[in-house]
Every structure is written in structure tokens, then in C-alpha cells.
Amino acid sequence: MRIPTQLRQTLVGTTVVGAFFGVLCALGSFAFYSEYGPRIAGAPHDAWANTLHAIGTFFWVTVGIVVAFGLLPSAISYALTRLSRKASNSSSKRTREKPRAA
């Protein structure tokens, strides 16, 4: 199945925006835990754990933005289009039927 051009452009655009915000959140997470991590119980204390936490933050922010602003609106639009086409096809079939003779 081919992905329509509009959906492909939507996914590419939201992925770029999601990656940008993901980098911002990951850098913020890395900086926060580097500065305040040793004072927080349960926070990652070493550099590797801090780095992996920042990478996980980047991944989940990017995926969340792509799903929330790319896939979900496209899926809703696709479903509404299919429903309206189905409804218009059934109504056009009703109007094309020949009237019954009494």
C-alpha cells in the first residue's frame, strides 16, 4: 500500500518538529539531572545513566509529537472521509432506485 503524498509530508513535518522539541527536552533533562541529580533521590547519578535518560526523553517526546500531531489527526480525517463517502454512497443509491408501481 502506498502512503499518500499528503500523509507522507505530514509525517515528515511532524517528525522534524518532534525531533527539534525532543532535542530541547533532552538537553534540558541532561542539564537538570547533571546539576541537581545528586540531590534527588532515585535520579540517575552517573553520566551514563543521565545520558540514557536524556536519549529516552528525546525518543518519547519525538514519538509523542508525531503521534499527537501527525498520526492522530490524519487517522481522524481518514475515518471521517470514509464515513462521509459511505453515507453519500448509500444516500445516492436510495435516490437512484426506481419508484415502485402501485
Side-chain angles (χ1 to χ4, degrees):
M1 182 175 134
R2 284 187 51 102
I3 298 175
T5 304
Q6 183 178 5
L7 178 60
R8 195 173 329 133
Q9 290 173 347
T10 300
L11 292 178
V12 168
T14 55
T15 303
V16 169
V17 171
F20 175 73
F21 284 113
V23 165
L24 288 178
C25 291
L27 288 174
S29 169
F30 188 78
F32 180 80
Y33 283 117
S34 293
E35 182 70 25
Y36 300 109
R39 296 184 209 127
I40 301 172
H45 295 301
D46 61 339
W48 285 109
N50 193 5
T51 304
L52 291 175
H53 185 268
I55 290 171
T57 301
F58 166 76
F59 176 76
W60 288 114
V61 168
T62 303
V63 167
I65 287 176
V66 169
V67 168
F69 298 111
L71 291 176
L72 189 62
S74 296
I76 291 171
S77 171
Y78 181 75
L80 290 175
T81 302
R82 296 236 2 193
L83 284 174
S84 81
R85 284 183 184 167
K86 187 181 262 189
S88 69
N89 284 341
S90 66
S91 67
S92 65
K93 287 178 184 176
R94 265 187 260 130
T95 57
R96 282 190 259 156
E97 290 178 1
K98 295 179 182 179
R100 295 182 184 185

